[in-house]
C-alpha cells in the first residue's frame, strides 16, 4: 500500500481505501474531481483526502472538498475498491 483515500464526513472519518501505488490513488481522486460539481461554499462538509505512505506514517498530498454528500464521488470511491479486490 502506497496511498490511501480517506472519506471524512461532518461527524468524522467514515472509511478509507488503500491503493498499491500513489498514481492509483491520484487517478481515483482526479476522476472524482472531474465528475463532481463543486460549489464555492466556504464550509467543508464532506472531504476525500489522499495520503501517501512514507515509511510508517501518512502524509496528506491532495483533497477534494464537497459541500454536500455526492453519490457520484462515492460510487467512484467504492468502485475503485471493488476493482482492486477483483485484480487480486
Amino acid at each position: 500500500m502506497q496511498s490511501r483515500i480517506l472519506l471524512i464526513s461532518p461527524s468524522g472519518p467514515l472509511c478509507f481505501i488503500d491503493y498499491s501505488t500513489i498514481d492509483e490513488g491520484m487517478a481515483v481522486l482526479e476522476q472524482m474531481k472531474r465528475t463532481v460539481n463543486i460549489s464555492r461554499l466556504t464550509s467543508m462538509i464532506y472531504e476525500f483526502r489522499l495520503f501517501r505512505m512514507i515509511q510508517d506514517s501518512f502524509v496528506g498530498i491532495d483533497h477534494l472538498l464537497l459541500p454536500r454528500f455526492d453519490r457520484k464521488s462515492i460510487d467512484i470511491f467504492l468502485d475503485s475498491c471493488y476493482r482492486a479486490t477483483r485484480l487480486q
Side-chain angles (χ1 to χ4, degrees):
M1 183 265 305
Q2 293 296 314
S3 63
R4 170 178 287 176
I5 296 180
L6 177 66
L7 171 57
I8 303 168
S9 74
S11 59
L14 287 178
C15 63
F16 63 88
I17 296 175
D18 289 335
Y19 301 95
S20 57
T21 67
I22 294 167
D23 289 340
E24 188 181 358
M26 285 292 285
V28 172
L29 190 64
E30 288 302 317
Q31 184 181 4
M32 284 189 277
K33 286 180 177 182
R34 285 191 306 270
T35 60
V36 172
N37 184 13
I38 301 173
S39 116
R40 298 240 182 244
L41 296 178
T42 57
S43 63
M44 189 240 358
I45 298 176
Y46 292 91
E47 178 180 11
F48 288 98
R49 184 162 292 275
L50 177 64
F51 293 92
R52 174 184 192 155
M53 181 71 162
I54 298 179
Q55 294 178 352
D56 291 333
S57 62
F58 291 100
V59 176
I61 56 175
D62 202 357
H63 65 277
L64 170 63
L65 302 176
L66 301 172
R68 58 180 167 68
F69 184 85
D70 186 272
R71 183 173 175 189
K72 280 185 181 180
S73 60
I74 298 295
D75 286 344
I76 293 167
F77 179 67
L78 294 176
D79 285 346
S80 73
C81 178
Y82 294 127
R83 279 193 307 265
T85 56
R86 281 193 303 249
L87 295 175
Q88 294 178 355

